Every structure is written in C-alpha cells, then in structure tokens.
Amino acid sequence: MKKYSQTSGIAILRFFLQSIITPLLGIVFLQTAFAQDASFPNRPIKLVVPLAPGGATDTVARIYAKQLSLQLNTAVVVENRVGAGGMIALESMSKAPADGYTIFVGNLSTNALNETVFAQKIKRKPSEYLTGITTLATIPHIFVASAQLGINTIPELIAYAKRNPDAINHASPGVGTYSMLDMLNFEKAAGLKMTHVPYNGGAGQYIVPMVSNEVQIAFINASSVIEMIRVQKLRALAVTTEKRLPELPNTPTMGEVGFPGIGTNAWQAIFVPIGTPKPIIDKLFNASVDALNSEELKEAFKKQLITPSYSKSPEEFNRFVQQEVNRWAGILANLNVKADQ
C-alpha cells in the first residue's frame, strides 16, 4: 500500500508539473517568436534578382533596395542569380528560410508564366513555396529594332521580312517569357516567319547584340532601352501603351500601326518564402509602400520610364498573381509554346 502511494504521488506530482510547465514553455516560445518578429530586421536583407544587371528587374530592384534600406534602417543587398529564365534563382528561393531576410524580386515571367511553361520540368511551382507581398512597378515595352537594320517603321519591317524570309532574328529573355510570346503574336498576326534567339539572363544580355545587329528586333522594357534609343543605336518602332509615351512622342502605339492588344506592360514585384510570419510580411509591405511613395524613388523611376505601383495588401496581390497565371496559361495554349522550344 505504501509503495502504491509513493508511485501515485510521483505520478500526480509529474502531472502537476507538466500542467504548469507546458503552458509556460508555450508562452516562452510565443514571446520569443514575437520578439524575433518585433526586432525584424536586425541584420542585412538579401534581395534576389533572377536576371542579369542592366535589365528592368535589376534596375527596379536596385532603386527599391536603397529606399527599403532607409525605411527598415538596415542594409539591403542585391544578389543577381542568373540563368534558365529565372529558374535558378527560384530554385534557390525554394530552400531559403522563411524569416524575411531573403526576398525575391519577381515578375510576370518568373512568377506567372513559368508555372505553365515549365510545368513538366520543375519539381515545384513558384506559388507552392513563395507568397507575394506587393507589386513594385509597371513598365511599358517598346518594339525596337537595331539601327543597323535600316528599318524605321513596322510596315517597313513587315515588308523587309517578307522579302527576306528567315532573315530576322528576334530576341527575348527566354522561352515562354512575355517578350517572346508578344513577338510570336505579332509574327502570327503579320504573317511572318522569324527566328527566336533566347537570352536567359534577361534584356541586359541582348542589348549589345541588338546594337551590333546580331539580333534585329525585340519587345524590350522601356527602362532598358531608352538610352540606346536616345543615342540612336536602337530604333523605337512602336510602344505597347494605349497612348504614346511623352518621352517618345513620334513613336506610334501598337494599336496605331494595326496591332492592338499585342505587347505587354509588365509588372515587377517582391515575394518571400511561404511560412514567413505575418508580422514580418506586414512590416515588409508597409516599408515597401513607404519606399515606393518616396520622392527620391519616384524621380529615379521616372528617369527610367518606370511607374511605381503597389498592391492594396499582400492578399490582394496574391489573388492578382493567380489571375495572371490563369490568363497566360490560355495564351500559351493558343500559341502552343513548349519549354523545349
């Protein structure tokens, strides 16, 4: 009887201690997690850019990084991870910790088109491991040609391409990117046959080949080519906006030259790994909105023909991305684009 009482007493004491300690440990854990979220950031943040320096994504990232650093009072370091149309950088993000210290600068191609283009080749879709925070910018595109080609208008280009089948190469940041798809749509509408030359590092990699006439035409974001247009190394044949750009008043819209609806005004945005605590996501969202509203950023964007743009909330932005995935999946199916093209 005495042995039974000791055993029972120990069991009761153990149960009593557990009933007190377990909730206390939970409180300590929550307090620690809250403290970590509240102190964010307390070390440098890495901004992963999936394309090469010189292109729109890199330009947006570097201007934004400076202002985000000021808002969060910590260093924001840009890291270019180039290759495979953004898939190398995305793969690195699939292994990144969900702590807010690694942010992905994505765009229409990397976070919407790639879900369909590489559906058979990738292990996981970007939406399975990344969640969006907000858009950063929208950028008009310009249909450009090498000045050495000697073409000044879309009608001249069409006539030349029909007289010289297979003589025109068009560049893009890779298979399935919106620049490539826009050109395929134009090719189909104009009844042309041209050769696609992909540069998987982004527009920054094929501006020099365009200047030298190794590739002749492309849809390129305005921020990447405006300076080359100004010095007459490249010719602006048309713009993708509904109205002419004030900076290029003599360049018609795609609609004006008979191809309405062809051409994309692309978006840039930021994403973090799924599982990032909401307080950190909210802090990044609010800091980003403040950064995008800063006069210094607005002025820097304006010089590059970039328009600041932020979402109403992270939730609203994620819904928008899913709509983009669905919309472009239909476009890809219509053009029958395969990842191995």
Side-chain angles (χ1 to χ4, degrees):
M1 185 71 180
K2 184 178 181 181
K3 183 177 180 181
Y4 173 78
S5 298
Q6 288 177 337
T7 302
S8 299
I10 292 171
I12 292 170
L13 178 62
R14 184 181 295 131
F15 175 79
F16 176 74
L17 290 174
Q18 286 178 342
S19 66
I20 294 176
I21 292 173
T22 300
L24 287 175
L25 288 174
I27 292 171
V28 170
F29 174 79
L30 289 173
Q31 287 178 333
T32 301
F34 178 78
Q36 290 175 341
D37 294 349
S39 66
F40 173 85
N42 54 29
R43 55 188 171 88
I45 291 172
K46 180 167 62 178
L47 213 58
V48 177
V49 177
L51 298 165
T57 303
D58 181 75
T59 299
V60 168
R62 292 181 186 277
I63 295 173
Y64 162 73
K66 180 180 178 181
Q67 295 304 316
L68 183 66
S69 175
L70 294 174
Q71 295 297 329
L72 294 175
N73 195 30
T74 193
V76 178
V77 182
V78 174
E79 179 182 293
N80 296 85
R81 296 183 65 86
V82 181
M87 295 308 299
I88 289 177
L90 282 166
E91 175 62 21
S92 73
M93 288 301 301
S94 71
K95 303 171 184 175
D99 57 8
Y101 288 97
T102 306
I103 301 173
F104 183 76
V105 183
N107 55 45
L108 171 58
S109 288
T110 58
N111 292 79
L113 283 165
N114 281 359
E115 295 238 343
T116 300
V117 175
F118 296 105
Q120 303 303 317
K121 292 192 172 186
I122 56 177
K123 296 178 181 178
R124 300 169 66 197
K125 295 180 179 179
S127 60
E128 293 176 352
Y129 54 85
L130 290 179
T131 184
I133 294 180
T134 180
T135 53
L136 298 178
T138 56
I139 309 173
H141 272 55
I142 304 174
F143 193 134
V144 294
S146 173
Q148 293 190 31
L149 183 62
I151 297 296
N152 295 303
T153 67
I154 294 288
E156 287 179 19
L157 171 68
I158 293 172
Y160 177 86
K162 288 185 176 180
R163 289 195 310 268
N164 303 276
D166 300 320
I168 299 292
N169 298 324
H170 66 93
S172 86
V175 174
T177 58
Y178 54 86
S179 298
M180 174 199 176
L181 298 176
D182 287 340
M183 193 59 76
L184 291 184
N185 272 323
F186 169 75
E187 187 179 40
K188 185 176 181 181
L192 303 178
K193 182 181 180 183
M194 302 183 290
T195 302
H196 174 229
V197 181
Y199 291 81
N200 289 331
Q205 289 190 339
Y206 56 86
I207 291 175
V208 172
M210 283 202 71
V211 169
S212 63
N213 203 34
E214 292 176 38
V215 287
Q216 288 70 46
I217 61 172
F219 278 102
I220 310 182
N221 61 80
S223 63
S224 295
V225 294
I226 188 61
E227 292 304 322
M228 289 294 101
I229 292 170
R230 285 169 177 158
V231 298
Q232 298 184 11
K233 296 292 185 181
L234 296 175
R235 295 275 188 265
L237 304 185
V239 295
T240 62
T241 47
E242 290 185 7
K243 297 180 179 180
R244 296 190 181 194
L245 295 175
E247 295 81 2
L248 297 170
N250 297 321
T251 302
T253 67
M254 289 296 291
E256 287 179 297
V257 295
F259 298 94
I262 293 180
T264 301
N265 299 312
W267 49 266
Q268 310 286 333
I270 52 171
F271 299 79
V272 293
I274 287 176
T276 300
K278 191 174 188 307
I280 291 178
I281 287 177
D282 290 341
K283 183 172 282 190
L284 287 172
F285 174 80
N286 292 328
S288 296
V289 170
D290 291 340
L292 292 168
N293 277 320
S294 69
E295 291 303 319
E296 186 177 351
L297 180 142
K298 289 179 181 178
E299 187 61 29
F301 272 13
K302 184 178 180 180
K303 290 179 181 178
Q304 301 294 328
L305 305 189
I306 300 170
T307 302
S309 174
Y310 52 86
S311 309
K312 293 180 180 178
S313 68
E315 293 77 15
E316 187 268 344
F317 174 56
N318 281 297
R319 288 192 294 270
F320 166 75
V321 173
Q322 188 56 54
Q323 290 169 358
E324 288 285 85
V325 170
N326 297 338
R327 181 169 73 89
W328 283 91
I331 295 172
L332 284 158
N334 183 55
L335 292 172
N336 194 30
V337 174
K338 305 296 182 183
D340 57 354
Q341 276 187 257

